[in-house]
Amino acid sequence: METRSGRRFRFRRSVRTAGEGRTILEALVGDRLPAFARSVKYHRPRAPFCGVGSCTGCLVRVNGQPSVRACQRTVAEGDRVATENSWPGPGLDLLGVLDVAFPRGVDTLHGFRRPTFAAPLYHRLIRRLAGFGKVPDVPAPADAARAPQVHEARLAVVGAGAAGRAAAARAVALGVRPVVLERDRRPVLVDGAQTLARTTGVVLASPPPGTAEPFTLLGVADGNVGVAVRASSVVVATGGYDGALLFEGSDRPGIVTADLVLGLGRAAVPLPFRSAVVVGVGDRAREVLEALGSRAKAVVGFGEIPPDLTRRASELAVPLYPRSLVVRAVGRRRVRSLELRRRGGGPSFVVPCDAVVLAHRRLPGTQLLFQAGAAKVWSPERETYYPEVGADGATSVRGLFAAGTVAGYGGAAAPSSGIRAVEAALGVPPSSPGPAGPSPAPSGDRFVGYVQELLDLPRRGKWVLCPCEDVLLEEVENAVRRGYRGIEVVKRYTGLGTGLCQGRYCVPEAVSVLAVLEGCPPEEVGSLTPRPPAFPAPLAALAGLHDALGGEKAE
Amino acid sequence: MTLGRDEYRTVIVGAGVVGLYTAYHLARAGGGPILVVDRGFLSSGSSGRNGGGIRQQWETRSTIRLARESVAAYRRFGREFGYNVWFRQGGYLFLAETVSELERLRKVHDIVRSEGLASRMLAAEEVGRFVDGIAPGAAAGGSYLATDGTLYPFPAIWGLYETVRSLGVEVALGVELLAVPARDGHVDRVSTTKGTVATPTVVNAAGGWSAEVSRRAGLASPNVATRHEILATESLKPFLDPMVVRPSDGLYFSQTMRGELVGGITVPHPTGTAQGVPSSPRFLTSMARALVTLLPRLKSVGVLRAWTGFYDDTPDGFPVLGEEPQRKGFVQANGFGGHGFMLAPAASRRVAASVLGEPVDLDPREFAPGRFDGASGPRTVEGLQLG
């Protein structure tokens, strides 16, 4: 519960109080989501979107250090929190005029070429406009008490969700003490395991094939301390996240993921909405509906809405919009309404709301697995890539296992998939039949045909496909029109997926868009190789690990 | 998909900056029909993986001249090819940690100046004017050339690709060269994964794969592919103008137009073009340590992503340009040692001239493919390879 006496910190010009253990975001959520910044290219308003430390919606400057994620950073007494990339502030930003002045976007690939003598001027101007935070004048204070740590273990488990905890507990039962990395601030601990809380796994390096060397896992604890784990086997149980949805104005403040809503709910923070539209018809949408309570104003499905959700919605007197396209969010600094259109060329209608909660698509958090070299396989039911795994979660990389949502074993199947993975990793016979097949995807959320219809719609404003870098749908269409094919090339042509979220939100959608534009099945569009680190890792944290990992000796 | 013709005048292997520039010069000279094949997608090789540095400070006159010509080419790239490569001449700053390193920089400086470029030596206290926040005592001094700079590699590839296609060049992507059968010591045809075509000339512009391409043509190659790594940080407001390089440990970094710091450092680089080895903890931690030691204010700046690419190294640090003495019609355009983007416009023009049988103003002792055959006396070496 929030207490009156908490930690005092400064947000812009006002002094605020945060309850013990609160994040900056939790402390600043009032009757609405706080606006923190403007986007990098067109200075469009940005507010928290993902709630799980991936997007660019909540970047703030803390004690002079740029690009800190408000949703991940716990408030410390005396923190100075400032906003970035806006002047005078994120609410009213003078450079917001760029968004209005360039309704079709700015073409930096072909523009600004003439006259040649003006190049230095263009360079100065565009450089000034680009870039997000200011580089600190002084280095971040060293945390003397927190030297980089190196752990050696037989087994490392990444993620302490249902699958990761079951895996860790089974390892303990088998006499092995695993090191568990968990991003969350208050993980549920497993007796006998060494759990590193507030620690993000960022780099997973597989041993060279054919050697007996261990995996090296680099992590960042508390946002600034380097952690390294050397382990012979690794179970990755990094769970999933709620995907984004492309429509006009889909980057507007108030459009959020189910992750954000459910996260605030778990932290007992009152939701900053009065009337929210839920997009999606599966279990996740159902959870959101319960969390929103009387704030829920509508449920939107791309296809039919299943009977149980229909029943629950009618109990709550929430209207349902099945077989609908989400066309447009109206409202500039905050969403005011959502325009929907019945599938198959039906009429369009507007639902007033101050929030849109995306719960239509749960994506696996596969970054570490793919970065470590695990082979991927396209799942036609879920329209995304999964690691190629057997029932025991073994990936194509020897010693590397996937468990839970990230392996396709979500929900009730998660714990048993964690147990099977650990048994396989430790070379003991399976104690149970293991998870029964990957959990089915809810049919009402299927993307088939949806994107095709979406692309045929008339457009008025910007369709921002990649909000981190302000890449517009139109730029992707131009690339394809000029003959550039495949997600790898289109990424390099447009810059989509190269921002702070590293493509977590835009790439799954870009794949569907490219499949339509290129007229091929989505799996032929290709996939991107996730680049390490999985989440941005401060230079100081990585630098600290240099000597700890024996960098000096080896040189 | 099949190839457009049964016969080409020239087949270029590699659709990177060197291959496409060569195609451009050849097509403009009426040297068609030309086919460019590449086993990957556009920009999948080193042309899409480099740090975009373009410098003219080198140890040898011949390299300085190629680089100077290339700088002029990149300045007019936007007009010539329709794409803005954002070639920003923010200078290149070479840092010396010790007095002896400073002496080496002074030698380079003397040669660069004698070639008519306005290079400057910087005292230790002057370095801070170019690198705001540099740690005290981190540099004993440096050398600086204001007309060096950085560009975005990708638009250069798009501009070249679209331009050569409009000039009638066929660019076949996802097509791998399998063999280059010869007749009477002369290139006769090329077999690829999409069929065999007749051609009297093959240009090997395959970058890190050039040694493999030579082997497939039945030729030995002195080139060795080494795997290098590079990283980019989160985007920041502009605070650093020049590309900063430190020859002692191969550190280099610059701030791009988008505001990211992009750079690399020398760590033991594995050889060969085997796939599946991602960025190493060794590189990430070494690079991070070098950056925060030199510029402590960067401590909290986040590393966003790291990736790898191949340098195509030669024993003497010079590229290999021109026709193989053992195989008429087989022309090498490779061995740039990680600096292909810097030298491509000028080097490719000479490769094209060589294909067309025109005179080439390159010293064969420095650039000719046959220069490593047989023992000879002391040779010139271009030692200013970095990264």
Side-chain angles (χ1 to χ4, degrees):
Chain A
M1 283 304 292
E2 196 82 64
T3 49
R4 278 285 157 220
S5 64
R7 295 176 179 187
R8 284 156 58 89
F9 70 105
R10 187 171 276 278
F11 176 62
R12 306 196 70 205
R13 274 179 290 277
S14 62
V15 175
R16 307 290 183 98
T17 311
E20 180 70 26
R22 284 276 189 239
T23 63
I24 295 172
L25 173 60
E26 288 164 0
L28 290 174
V29 164
D31 61 341
R32 58 161 62 191
L33 280 175
F36 283 126
R38 291 289 177 132
S39 70
V40 74
K41 204 166 168 187
Y42 303 120
H43 283 250
R44 289 164 71 87
R46 287 284 179 265
F49 166 74
C50 79
V52 290
S54 287
C55 75
T56 36
C58 72
L59 298 179
V60 289
R61 191 174 183 83
V62 179
N63 303 330
Q65 309 300 317
S67 308
V68 176
R69 290 182 153 118
C71 71
Q72 299 294 303
R73 161 87 187 211
T74 309
V75 174
E77 181 71 31
D79 270 349
R80 287 170 292 112
V81 180
T83 54
E84 292 186 299
N85 205 38
S86 58
W87 192 87
L92 179 72
D93 170 39
L94 285 188
L95 284 175
V97 70
L98 290 171
D99 191 29
V100 184
F102 298 98
R104 306 245 66 87
V106 176
D107 182 0
T108 51
L109 280 174
H110 302 92
F112 307 97
R113 288 180 295 126
R114 291 163 202 273
T116 313
F117 67 80
L121 272 174
Y122 291 145
H123 292 153
R124 243 200 314 276
L125 174 75
I126 298 294
R127 263 190 122 199
R128 200 64 68 75
L129 292 177
F132 191 80
K134 283 200 195 92
V135 67
D137 294 325
V138 290
D143 194 342
R146 305 287 309 275
Q149 321 155 28
V150 180
H151 304 267
E152 311 270 341
R154 169 79 184 81
L155 175 75
V157 178
V158 190
R165 288 201 306 274
R170 183 70 187 132
V172 172
L174 290 168
V176 170
R177 185 176 194 225
V179 173
V180 182
L181 271 69
E182 169 54 46
R183 231 185 150 198
D184 200 76
R185 286 163 290 140
R186 310 177 198 93
V188 179
L189 300 178
V190 175
D191 281 343
Q194 182 176 15
T195 302
L196 310 175
R198 293 179 305 218
T199 303
T200 309
V202 295
V203 179
L204 179 54
S206 305
T211 65
E213 286 172 41
F215 288 86
T216 304
L217 182 62
L218 304 188
V220 178
D222 284 331
N224 63 7
V225 182
V227 173
V229 183
R230 282 208 180 103
S232 337
S233 307
V234 178
V235 173
V236 174
T238 37
Y241 63 100
D242 297 301
L245 183 65
L246 176 66
F247 49 90
E248 183 180 329
S250 54
D251 60 330
R252 293 301 189 199
I255 293 155
V256 297
T257 65
D259 279 326
L260 182 134
V261 169
L262 298 174
L264 288 178
R266 273 195 303 275
V269 174
L271 294 177
F273 319 119
R274 278 185 297 275
S275 52
V277 175
V278 182
V279 181
V281 301
D283 293 344
R284 197 74 177 161
R286 173 75 185 264
E287 271 185 80
V288 169
L289 195 61
E290 302 297 341
L292 285 170
S294 64
R295 296 177 179 89
K297 283 295 174 281
V299 173
V300 180
F302 306 149
E304 299 303 334
I305 295 178
D308 60 326
L309 187 66
T310 306
R311 219 167 19 245
R312 184 62 185 139
S314 69
E315 280 165 26
L316 296 167
V318 176
L320 301 171
Y321 298 94
R323 299 180 302 282
S324 297
L325 290 171
V326 179
V327 173
R328 186 162 77 109
V330 182
R332 199 177 144 65
R333 276 190 279 171
R334 180 174 204 183
V335 58
R336 290 197 312 272
S337 62
L338 191 66
E339 183 181 332
L340 305 172
R341 184 186 284 260
R342 202 51 67 105
R343 295 283 293 268
S348 84
F349 42 96
V350 171
V351 182
C353 61
D354 65 355
V356 178
V357 185
L358 304 176
H360 60 290
R361 192 180 199 191
R362 192 85 180 141
L363 292 161
T366 48
Q367 276 76 11
L368 277 183
L369 286 167
F370 292 157
Q371 178 219 302
K376 44 181 97 161
V377 57
W378 176 259
S379 157
E381 299 82 33
R382 288 147 176 279
E383 295 167 277
T384 190
Y385 287 92
Y386 276 87
E388 219 179 278
V389 290
D392 61 358
T395 68
S396 63
V397 176
R398 208 184 140 80
L400 178 62
F401 295 81
T405 301
V406 78
Y409 298 112
S416 55
S417 84
I419 290 168
R420 270 297 289 270
V422 158
E423 287 165 348
L426 299 179
V428 304
S431 59
S432 69
S439 2
S443 61
D445 289 347
R446 294 288 293 278
F447 246 43
V448 180
Y450 182 90
V451 174
Q452 172 76 66
E453 266 187 71
L454 203 65
L455 295 185
D456 290 340
L457 292 174
R459 292 182 211 152
R460 279 170 286 189
K462 289 192 179 77
W463 290 52
V464 180
L465 182 56
C466 164
C468 295
E469 292 294 324
D470 268 354
V471 177
L472 308 181
L473 173 61
E474 215 168 306
E475 295 175 64
V476 172
E477 291 172 320
N478 285 339
V480 173
R481 205 172 295 129
R482 282 174 177 269
Y484 299 97
R485 291 291 152 98
I487 186 80
E488 287 275 18
V489 179
V490 170
K491 165 196 164 188
R492 288 161 172 84
Y493 194 87
T494 62
L496 82 85
T498 63
L500 229 56
C501 91
Q502 288 289 287
R504 276 183 179 78
Y505 290 99
C506 64
V507 167
E509 285 192 288
V511 166
S512 309
V513 168
L514 285 174
V516 171
L517 295 177
E518 297 180 16
C520 67
E523 59 269 38
E524 280 175 27
V525 167
S527 64
L528 297 179
T529 312
R531 311 284 198 205
F535 294 94
L539 284 166
L542 292 173
L545 288 170
H546 180 267
D547 296 351
L549 278 173
E552 285 300 356
K553 269 180 285 168
E555 276 165 17
Chain B
M1 191 197 80
T2 51
L3 299 173
R5 311 170 62 96
D6 297 331
E7 196 174 346
Y8 294 87
R9 200 155 144 202
T10 301
V11 174
I12 298 171
V13 187
V17 67
V18 174
L20 291 175
Y21 245 120
T22 303
Y24 172 69
H25 291 304
L26 281 175
R28 290 231 308 180
I34 300 161
L35 169 69
V36 182
V37 296
D38 195 300
R39 64 203 286 277
F41 54 84
L42 214 51
S43 77
S44 59
S46 306
S47 287
R49 295 170 180 273
N50 64 90
I54 306 293
R55 70 172 146 100
Q56 305 155 97
Q57 300 179 75
W58 291 87
E59 280 183 345
T60 54
R61 293 183 188 283
S62 45
T63 313
I64 294 169
R65 287 173 194 171
L66 290 179
R68 192 172 53 190
E69 189 181 316
S70 297
V71 162
Y74 285 128
R75 279 175 60 97
R76 60 170 190 272
F77 192 95
R79 273 180 295 152
E80 204 169 350
F81 297 97
Y83 274 80
N84 194 339
V85 292
W86 295 99
F87 178 42
R88 183 176 65 83
Q89 291 177 286
Y92 247 72
L93 173 64
F94 278 73
L95 291 181
E97 283 182 298
T98 62
V99 177
S100 71
E101 285 165 23
L102 197 58
E103 265 322 293
R104 182 185 178 198
L105 291 186
R106 189 177 303 280
K107 283 193 192 120
V108 172
H109 161 81
D110 289 341
I111 300 170
V112 170
R113 274 203 84 93
S114 72
E115 284 295 317
L117 293 163
S119 141
R120 286 172 56 191
M121 289 305 290
L122 303 178
E125 57 275 13
E126 277 179 292
V127 170
R129 288 224 314 275
F130 292 90
V131 190
D132 190 16
I134 191 170
S143 68
Y144 175 77
L145 179 57
T147 51
D148 290 348
T150 51
L151 52 66
Y152 263 124
F154 296 137
I157 299 300
W158 320 139
L160 285 162
Y161 172 68
E162 291 182 24
T163 305
V164 300
R165 294 220 313 170
S166 72
L167 291 171
V169 174
E170 184 181 339
V171 183
L173 300 167
V175 176
E176 188 170 342
L177 174 124
L178 299 173
V180 187
R183 181 183 291 175
D184 305 329
H186 200 297
V187 168
D188 183 57
R189 58 195 192 277
V190 160
S191 75
T192 73
T193 48
K194 295 287 178 190
T196 300
V197 294
T199 184
T201 314
V202 169
V203 177
N204 178 4
W209 288 269
S210 73
E212 175 63 24
V213 168
S214 291
R215 267 192 294 280
R216 289 183 187 187
L219 297 163
S221 169
N223 296 15
V224 176
T226 53
R227 193 182 178 87
H228 287 243
E229 303 177 44
I230 183 166
L231 63 74
T233 70
E234 63 182 89
S235 147
L236 298 160
K237 292 292 178 195
F239 72 98
L240 180 70
D241 279 338
M243 170 80 89
V244 179
V245 295
R246 192 164 63 190
S248 61
D249 59 356
L251 172 71
Y252 69 95
F253 62 95
S254 70
Q255 192 181 16
T256 67
M257 288 291 301
R258 292 207 314 194
E260 305 160 321
L261 279 186
V262 172
I265 194 168
T266 302
V267 293
H269 300 296
T271 57
T273 52
Q275 298 294 308
V277 188
S279 297
S280 63
R282 178 71 174 277
F283 167 74
L284 288 168
T285 57
S286 301
M287 180 67 188
R289 193 182 64 149
L291 277 177
V292 299
T293 312
L294 187 67
L295 267 169
R297 64 198 296 218
L298 298 180
K299 275 184 175 175
S300 66
V301 170
V303 174
L304 200 51
R305 62 184 178 280
W307 65 98
T308 58
F310 297 111
Y311 278 24
D312 186 25
D313 290 328
T314 60
D316 59 2
F318 287 106
V320 184
L321 306 173
E323 191 174 47
E324 278 285 346
Q326 312 292 331
R327 183 68 44 86
K328 294 287 168 218
F330 195 88
V331 177
Q332 303 283 14
N334 48 58
F336 287 91
H339 300 79
F341 231 100
M342 286 184 197
L343 305 175
S348 305
R349 199 164 69 81
R350 287 156 177 84
V351 171
S354 159
V355 168
L356 296 167
E358 293 166 4
V360 178
D361 59 340
L362 290 174
D363 184 341
R365 286 169 303 175
E366 288 173 346
F367 295 96
R371 67 183 186 270
F372 305 108
D373 303 341
S376 55
R379 57 166 69 252
T380 332
V381 168
E382 174 51 69
L384 222 48
Q385 311 272 355
L386 297 172

